[in-house]
Amino acid sequence: MVKALFPGSFDPFTNGHLDVVQRAANLFDEIVIGVGTNLSKQYLFQPTEKIAMIEKVTEQLSNVTVLEMSGLTVEFMKQINADLLIRGLRNEKDYLYERDIAQMNHELGDVETVFLLAKPDHQFLSSSLLKEVASTGTDISKYVPNIIEKALYEKLGK
């Protein structure tokens, strides 16, 4: 059995994130979505809100669970007995950033990282870009699951 961790801040969880989770769920026995906090980012949603929304949009995937994570990813992996990390790559900029993190995780905890390439229709999606677009009241329904779209507009007062 292979247990994989898909970590991120997921503020908000996009259709690109969902696509990575769905594909990973077909490749590995168990997927844990680790909802973490990046101290360099500002968030709209609290971790409990994000977890509830992600659980709802992944409820059809029987081998997926969602947990709050804190501290170093390699330490969280030990806590949950995960075998590897999953990361999505949208473009070469993501690759350069994720490559360095993967190497550090390997150095710190002998962790393997598996990269899944974003599908073309998700390559431009980012949570920060979606928050910016949604703040204008623009329709983002094709970029995020419905429950997240509604919560995002509610948070932004749209």
Side-chain angles (χ1 to χ4, degrees):
M1 295 240 337
V2 177
K3 185 177 195 176
L5 172 65
F6 181 43
S9 52
F10 307 116
D11 191 64
F13 192 78
T14 69
N15 286 340
H17 294 131
L18 181 57
D19 180 61
V20 168
V21 171
Q22 289 169 330
R23 290 164 48 209
N26 287 325
L27 295 171
F28 305 106
D29 300 301
E30 187 178 350
I31 307 298
V32 174
I33 301 171
V35 177
T37 301
N38 182 333
L39 299 176
S40 67
K41 293 183 180 181
Q42 289 205 358
Y43 297 112
L44 281 179
F45 297 101
Q46 295 297 314
T48 54
E49 294 174 301
K50 292 188 264 188
I51 289 167
M53 289 186 288
I54 296 168
E55 284 176 337
K56 185 70 175 162
V57 300
T58 59
E59 67 186 356
Q60 78 283 1
L61 301 169
S62 62
N63 61 337
V64 173
T65 56
V66 186
L67 298 174
E68 184 173 0
M69 61 179 263
S70 61
L72 288 176
T73 300
V74 294
E75 293 303 319
F76 186 72
M77 288 183 69
K78 289 177 190 173
Q79 291 173 22
I80 64 167
N81 296 313
D83 302 297
L84 56 90
L85 278 173
I86 301 206
R87 298 300 293 160
L89 295 178
R90 295 171 296 177
N91 52 43
E92 62 278 353
K93 188 174 158 185
D94 274 0
Y95 168 74
L96 294 173
Y97 175 75
E98 294 292 347
R99 176 201 62 193
D100 293 345
I101 292 173
Q103 185 60 41
M104 180 59 77
N105 286 331
H106 186 74
E107 294 288 324
L108 292 174
D110 198 29
V111 169
E112 285 297 331
T113 301
V114 173
F115 297 111
L116 295 178
L117 297 177
K119 290 184 177 175
D121 51 341
H122 300 291
Q123 288 177 345
F124 65 94
L125 286 179
S126 73
S127 294
S128 56
L129 180 59
L130 283 177
K131 284 187 279 194
E132 186 176 334
V133 171
S135 72
T136 68
T138 303
D139 180 16
I140 59 165
S141 59
K142 66 182 185 178
Y143 308 121
V144 294
N146 290 340
I147 187 175
I148 293 170
E149 176 191 17
K150 290 174 186 169
L152 188 54
Y153 286 139
E154 187 176 301
K155 281 279 186 186
L156 295 169
K158 301 294 173 192

